[in-house]
Amino acid sequence: TSRAQFGVPYLQALSAWSGMYLTPWPFCTIGQARTILRNARDSITAAGKAWGRPTNSKIEQIFLHTAEADLEGGLVGGFVIEAERLYKRVLDLLAEDDVSVEGYAATMLKTHCLLGLGKLYLYDAERLSEAEAFARNALDILSSVDPTQRNCIDSQSICFYPWNNSALNKMSHSFHMCMSRQLVAEACIRSSRYDDAKLFLSDAVKDLPGNFDAAFALASFHLRMMFDSDADSCENNDALARTLLLKAAKMDTTRSGPFALLGVWYESQNDEARAKGCYQKALAIDPSHPVAGRGLKRILSLDELQPFCERATKQNSPVNGWAWRCLGQKRSWVDGEDSSAVICFQQALRCRDIQGQGSDSHEMFYLDPKNTSIVPVRESGETWGELANCYRRLGKYSAATRAYEEASIASDGCLSPSTCCAWAQVQLDLGLYDEAAEKCDVILSSGTTSPIHQLVAYIESEALLAMAKQDVQEGKFGLCLSHLQKGIDRLNSLSVQFSSSENFYCVTKLLGDLYTFAESLPSYVFILSSFSEETHDDESTFLSHEVQNQMSFIAKGEEAYMMAQKLAEIEGDSDEDYPYLVASASSDLGTNLLAQARVCSAALGEGSGGGTKTSMFDMAARSGKIMDLITRSINSYTKAIDLNPHDASAWNGLGTALATVDPLLSQHAFCRALQIDKMLADPLSNVGMMYADFGKTDTSSEVLDALTQVADTPLMWVGRGLLLEKSSIEWKGQEGSSEACMIKAADAYRAALQIMQNPAALMGLSLTCRRSYNGFGKSGDTVYSYLSDKASKSESTISMKIHQNLTGSGNLGACYLDSLMTIEEGLERLTALNDSESLSMIKEGKSDLAAVKIRTEISDKFISPQRKTEFNYVPLPTKTSLHPRVTGMFPSDLVDVVNNESVPDAGECDLPPDTCNIYDARNNALLNPETGEAWLQYAKTLLNELSFATSTSPTEVRESGNMAYALNVIKYAATKALQLLQNRVIHASLITPRRLIHQGTPVEYSEKSVVSSIPSTTLISEAKSLLSWVEDADSLNRGDPGSRASHVSLQESLLLDPSNVFAMEVLQMLDELNNYS
């Protein structure tokens, strides 16, 4: 029946395969071959049902498995893993005893499978030795077999029934001998054993003279020897390669390989016309040939190459990646269609000739034969980089980053400088400044100089400037200065290499930005820097050394901006962007001059007149140097506005500079900036602060409300805090309302600090968080009063320390406060511990106070009476009606009192550690029985009374008449204190102030902030050490070393508070007794 046609489909499969004496499946694609095999297997199954013959006998299995393995492993698009499994399956079947394939036939099938495995492993670098071993094994087996022997011919009648004659047997033997020698030769080439490879290829041609694959392999080997620098040069390689390629082309005119390699040969001889003809001939035969396509790309332009690429992409070929890449380059570079280019590059990366490089024996011919000395770059890495560039231009930065990472992996980290530069730009846009600077460093340290280095240095300097801004926020001022200096060095090196570049304008502007940003650093960072005295006037000599260095550093930015102006003016009217370039440089120049004025003003005591003002109004009116800088800044901003009237930032800068001389005109400039750009936060912040400075509270509040809709800036909250402080003063006499405003002001400053470390917010928080109503102590609310006072003092001191670190102690008023806080902290420590460190803190505070007074005197001597300065562009008369209100100076009487007090030496101080009365301490513990601090204070007071008892002191010890009784009371109080304090640590909570009762009406301080109930580690350390001493008091009196538990408890006390002197001395005493015993 038609369903039982067993022989025909099976014989069709064997004939189409022809793998025993020809290259397998020579006339089929992978789809056709799979269809033929499927029909053969179906026919066997049908024959078994119709004829009753056992289906899938091992003979048919071996042949069909071998044919399927050849198509999966040899044809384009096959599954290599499946081919490996089938080859091994056939070898296992041949090794079984019940297989009717014996002798010569089994030997040929075995060698065929070994050669198939060798081909699969050949292109895997890790399994190259296995591939060569399989090929040599097959060669040894074939060398031991003679197909002309009679026994071989007789024994093959069962198995080789498709071709039952000796001629085909001999052809099969010769074919497999030729294939095995080619495989061994290819393995030798990949391991750089060229002499052995040449010998095996020559023998392969002799084994089968008419075989195209052997002849083409020998021709391509000689062509390879022309370009391989590791091979020994041979004079006749050029001519021999051409001759062999022509011979191979004549053998089979339907094969495109010889024509493609002939094109490579002619291109190496600079004969582009013949090379072009050979490439076109190869593409006419095989439109997707990777060697011919890349060769034609080197000769033709992208527009001329487009028809060949479109024809190649229509082929269902895994090696047409070159065509997809060329189309992508044309879409991206020529047409500007990055979306279409992305699709083309993605298709290219799916192709074997791009992504799977290393699987083609002719891969070295992908490169330009005229530039063989260039180190080859993996094409997949370049394609990934081009895809990433398209993503970058489309604004898809995350996708671009992933593509760049794949490019780096594909190229083993050897990306081109242009690709690395584009990657660094993406990282810069994403805020990955460290990574961007690192990549630019790698490019610039390569040792070569190219035009791309200018862009790389510019990107790195931008990244370094951004890193410097982050460093300022983190308080890393030294690192910030080093980043600025590194960026400056990078840009200065460009001025020598690329001084004639058209883009040098941007370089000089960025250079000025790097210098100008130094205003954000405290002056002490520049203490080790050097400056030229010739660049400073007489007035600058009153400034400190580090301030002069800082101003000199910033002044270099002024020179850079002036250079940028000149570079922009050179182009003149020939450049339509000329007005905007000059205006931008002029605006930046005004910012730089204003920055110099701010630094000088801060060094001379700006904001130290007793109020909370932060303007330079007084300083500019009294200092000629500051007025000169401000005048030049105003002139620069005016020039920028004349050239570009719609520059909102220039109007804002002009308003900032005018605020020091003419607030009304400054207000106009801010309003003009807001008319141009309503979403600009800086003009709103400035005008809001100006209204608050001149008492326009309602108007300032409206402006700050508008600012909340634009941006979340610290000045918004700083301004709100200033207004709340003013409201607190207006509520004078009403303590509850005044205190509520002050607490809200502190919260506003805290909100500003959540955005960034703003010095004004730190100063405001330091002053407002301690100005609280102290009415809680009257109600006996000891816990809340103690914790609230301690928390506010700590927050105030820390805020002031951070402020001084950020500003470099430029504000004289802040310096006074910081010194007084240091003295206060030392006095508190002296009262509690009476150690030498507390005395050092007091001395340090007094020394700082003296230094601040000297600075104040120098500032008063330097600042001359009000001077008049003429402006070059616009007259700006000072209006006396707009002078700020006169404010009192800092209360110097308190400073004089502190300075006149003498600080006792550590040996002269004989005050008791705690001056609290014992009766007050006991009453406090009875009134607050759940407060650990009260019990600890009671225990410490008892201990002090016990230590300083005299015959005339009416102490509880003398009343009891019993030392043991006093120790028991101390032990009980210390134990109670430790239990309560530890319980608060375990069960942490928030404490609110108690409610007060006034004439039967409860009043609750709802505006008061809650405080944490977690006690300080110092308190727990003191309680533990005191309890340990009491428990071992009898042992110490007897001279015993004490218990081990006491040692452990004292060590825990020191871990909690290393400055616990009492615990340290007791532990040292116990150790000495232990060593003595």
Side-chain angles (χ1 to χ4, degrees), residues 746-769:
D747 291 338
Y749 292 130
R750 293 188 186 98
L753 293 175
Q754 290 180 357
I755 302 174
M756 63 178 295
Q757 294 285 355
N758 186 274
L762 288 166
M763 171 72 81
L765 179 60
S766 178
L767 295 177
T768 55
C769 68

Side-chain angles (χ1 to χ4, degrees), residues 594 617 630 633-635 637-638 641 651-670 690 871 874-876:
L594 191 59
F617 199 102
I630 291 175
S633 175
I634 293 173
N635 293 335
Y637 282 125
T638 306
I641 292 172
W651 280 105
N652 178 64
L654 178 61
T656 306
L658 286 172
T660 61
V661 292
D662 193 336
L664 286 179
L665 197 55
S666 173
Q667 176 187 358
H668 166 72
F670 290 140
M690 177 180 290
F871 295 89
V874 292
L876 299 172

